[in-house]
Amino acid sequence: MLKITGARVVVTCPGRNFVTLKIETAGGLHGLGDATLNGRELAVASYLTDHVIPNLIGRDAHRIEDIWQFLYRGAYWRRGPVTMSAIAAVDVALWDIKAKAAGMPLYQLLGGASRTGVMVYGHANGETVEQAVEQALRYREMGYKAIRLQAGVPGLPSTYGVSKDKLFYEPADAALPTENVWSTAKYLPTAPRLFEAAREALGWDVHLLHDAHHRLTPIEAARLGRDLEPYRPFWLEDATPAENQAAFRQIRAHTTTPLAVGEVFNTVWDAKQLIEEQLIDYIRTTIVHGGGISHLRRIAHLAELNNVKTGFHGATDLSPVCMGAALHFDLWVPNFGIQEYMRHTPETDAVFPHAYRFEAGELHPGEAAGHGVDIDEALAAKYPYRPAQLPVNRLEDGTLFNW
Ligand code: CS2
Ligand code: MG
């Protein structure tokens, strides 16, 4: 019995908001879990502080599965991003504690390494195709084997994925949502041009990815998937909003471009049809929003049975705690695909010292016991929460659309 003696939520904003759960035990071991939900951070902080932590004190930290089931079934109001991010934070903190108690890195506890390192992809973007390709060349110089390409759309003032600072991308840029303007008609011709220029400049020995960010109808997604086929993309991500899982049958019927989806999912139920009908090739649901390691193992095993690989979300709004835990999972999981890696800023990395390292296009979680990520609470306290929300999108005629 390893008694949980305390737990608290740390909200900090070293450039962007992060929510971290710290669980302490009688043995003096502590564990950390990421609970960051971009634009809704305080909802998860309250869910943990007001509704979860009182239920943790006195429980056995080793009983990870029992606590997961208590928090999932016991909530009554199951699923949803807030609930599952809170459950994820508890789950990851308990896995961190168990691995520390066992004196081993978390990947060993999961089943050991299935590969030598974790292939990651970086984010090349630019206002123009030329600028995006220039950034892609820079990422290749940095050793990346896989690069996501995003470019501005002529005629639109801004576009998803194009950032001012080329190495860091943070879309939650204001206390209330900024309004972006979108036109699919203007966008559709740009992505093939971007990929053509990128293949011309980088050749074929690099994986190229693209994120359509939920903005196409299924048939538009099929059109784009077909237009990109000559350039062999590694994947086309979030091609169409995926609440309607069956909609992906239309895309699948028209194109061989691999499909990735799931960063906004929070349980296996969001992806069950997509996976069982093999309508996608990569599942992006990640540890912080998908109920933690215990639930992501279930999703990964279902995916494994159906030729679907993992491709975890890894944007800057997922903290280094999530990245650390994800890398241990990535090193172990048999059907690993790729890991997104948007670098955090130096001030974020200072708040969250970590063992993972980037080398030759791969990340390795390191050999520290647990998930290898900690928090400097004194430094975290210097960065108070700052209200920030994600943008919204409107079509050119003002219709509210998908961001
Ligand atoms: C994007 C994210 O990383 C991705 O693939 O979809 O930038 C996403 O927009 C943010 O994580 C939302 O907070
Ligand atoms: Mg995405």
Side-chain angles (χ1 to χ4, degrees):
M1 160 72 152
L2 186 58
K3 194 173 182 180
I4 294 173
T5 52
R8 62 179 172 277
V9 173
V10 179
V11 180
T12 181
C13 188
R16 62 139 296 109
N17 295 308
F18 293 109
V19 179
T20 307
L21 173 69
K22 183 169 189 173
I23 295 179
E24 292 168 325
T25 63
L29 290 176
H30 74 269
L32 295 182
D34 184 15
T36 307
L37 183 63
N38 204 359
R40 297 293 181 272
E41 291 86 356
L42 297 188
V44 187
S46 162
Y47 194 105
L48 284 166
T49 302
D50 300 324
H51 307 296
V52 170
I53 288 174
N55 283 297
L56 294 179
I57 308 306
R59 286 185 189 270
D60 179 356
H62 279 312
R63 297 188 66 186
I64 301 175
E65 190 62 53
D66 180 65
I67 290 172
W68 194 97
Q69 297 294 335
F70 176 91
L71 294 176
Y72 180 79
R73 297 172 190 274
Y76 189 72
W77 312 107
R78 297 180 183 186
R79 303 166 67 189
V82 173
T83 298
M84 298 314 292
S85 297
I87 293 176
V90 175
D91 187 78
V92 171
L94 295 178
W95 276 104
D96 190 21
I97 289 168
K98 189 180 275 291
K100 285 173 179 173
M104 61 176 72
L106 178 54
Y107 75 85
Q108 294 289 15
L109 205 56
L110 293 171
S114 305
R115 54 196 59 80
T116 53
V118 173
M119 180 171 73
V120 295
Y121 71 89
H123 283 224
N125 66 78
E127 293 297 338
T128 64
V129 165
E130 293 68 29
Q131 285 172 12
V133 170
E134 197 182 300
Q135 288 299 314
L137 287 165
R138 188 177 160 217
Y139 270 88
R140 202 183 50 187
E141 294 299 303
M142 288 192 273
Y144 282 82
K145 300 172 184 169
I147 301 166
R148 190 184 86 166
L149 300 170
Q150 306 290 143
V153 175
L156 293 183
S158 67
T159 310
Y160 163 73
V162 179
S163 61
K164 300 170 195 63
D165 181 318
K166 289 308 156 208
L167 205 52
F168 308 110
Y169 176 59
E170 178 43 68
D173 56 5
L176 293 176
T178 50
E179 299 218 344
N180 294 171
V181 176
W182 178 254
S183 159
T184 298
K186 290 188 168 83
Y187 160 76
L188 274 179
T190 60
R193 281 207 305 272
L194 172 60
F195 271 71
E196 183 182 25
R199 281 297 182 208
E200 186 67 32
L202 291 116
W204 297 88
D205 188 24
V206 61
H207 297 302
L208 299 177
L209 303 84
H210 185 64
D211 190 346
H213 220 263
H214 324 276
R215 298 178 182 195
L216 305 177
T217 63
I219 206 66
E220 289 166 346
R223 166 82 274 153
L224 179 58
R226 192 176 284 182
D227 289 349
L228 292 177
E229 281 177 15
Y231 312 109
R232 301 283 187 278
F234 184 87
W235 80 31
L236 173 60
E237 175 185 341
D238 282 332
T240 194
E243 296 97 315
N244 179 349
Q245 298 183 48
F248 278 71
R249 290 177 184 149
Q250 289 182 55
I251 309 171
R252 223 35 168 188
H254 292 282
T255 180
T256 57
T257 289
L259 301 172
V261 76
E263 68 180 51
V264 297
F265 294 171
N266 49 79
T267 70
V268 64
W269 303 104
D270 295 324
K272 185 170 180 294
Q273 183 180 7
L274 288 165
I275 292 172
E276 289 179 339
E277 291 189 24
Q278 303 189 34
L279 299 177
I280 56 173
D281 303 280
Y282 298 92
I283 182 70
R284 289 190 35 78
T285 310
T286 192
I287 285 174
V288 59
H289 302 133
I293 287 165
S294 301
H295 194 60
L296 256 297
R297 277 196 309 187
R298 294 185 171 86
I299 293 174
H301 287 327
L302 179 65
E304 184 186 359
L305 299 178
N306 293 285
N307 298 310
V308 176
K309 295 180 181 176
T310 64
F312 281 166
H313 186 201
T316 42
D317 45 288
L318 286 60
S319 90
V321 174
C322 180
M323 179 55 75
L327 290 169
H328 284 273
F329 194 103
D330 291 333
L331 199 66
W332 154 74
V333 71
N335 50 321
F336 169 74
I338 198 167
Q339 168 68 52
E340 178 176 4
Y341 178 42
M342 270 196 201
R343 290 169 183 252
H344 290 105
T345 60
E347 62 253 85
T348 293
D349 286 342
V351 171
F352 296 98
H354 51 267
Y356 59 83
R357 290 284 172 270
F358 177 83
E359 191 183 327
E362 295 183 341
L363 278 172
H364 194 285
E367 296 300 328
H371 55 47
V373 187
D374 212 336
I375 188 167
D376 179 333
E377 291 189 69
L379 189 54
K382 292 189 175 138
Y383 299 105
Y385 169 77
R386 188 177 64 209
Q389 294 196 31
L390 285 167
V392 296
N393 235 347
R394 289 187 184 273
L395 300 179
E396 290 168 301
D397 69 0
T399 306
L400 204 287
F401 193 61
N402 310 315
W403 178 72

